[in-house]
Amino acid sequence: MIFLIVVAGVISTFLVFALLYLLFGVGKTFFDVVLGWHKPSKEIRTDGISIQSTCKYCGKKIEQDSQGNWFEID
């Protein structure tokens, strides 16, 4: 029972920080560098096939996949 409470606490904490990252950029180093989550800057480009931008926090080139997730490109 204690194990389930600890797991629920960890998941809840992660979700709160993930929401804070998406809204305000809190913990950007962890989410951007460790997990590879990227948030596009206001300038989003398309070439008719792919959607590209630069990461708002790390400045790397990123591209959006078919599920709406952003990932780093070379």
Side-chain angles (χ1 to χ4, degrees), residues 20-74:
L20 289 173
Y21 167 74
L22 292 173
L23 295 176
F24 306 110
V26 174
K28 57 188 163 195
T29 302
F30 174 73
F31 288 103
D32 189 69
V33 175
V34 177
L35 296 181
W37 292 8
H38 297 282
K39 186 161 180 135
S41 63
K42 297 216 182 261
E43 181 185 327
I44 297 176
R45 303 172 298 282
T46 183
D47 60 4
I49 298 174
S50 60
I51 301 170
Q52 299 176 346
S53 184
T54 55
C55 180
K56 182 177 180 178
Y57 302 121
C58 67
K60 295 179 180 176
K61 291 181 180 180
I62 56 176
E63 188 170 282
Q64 191 175 36
D65 65 11
S66 62
Q67 284 84 30
N69 301 314
W70 291 93
F71 61 94
E72 183 181 342
I73 57 174
D74 292 330

Side-chain angles (χ1 to χ4, degrees), residues 1-12:
M1 184 68 173
I2 294 175
F3 176 74
L4 293 176
I5 294 171
V6 170
V7 170
V10 169
I11 291 172
S12 298

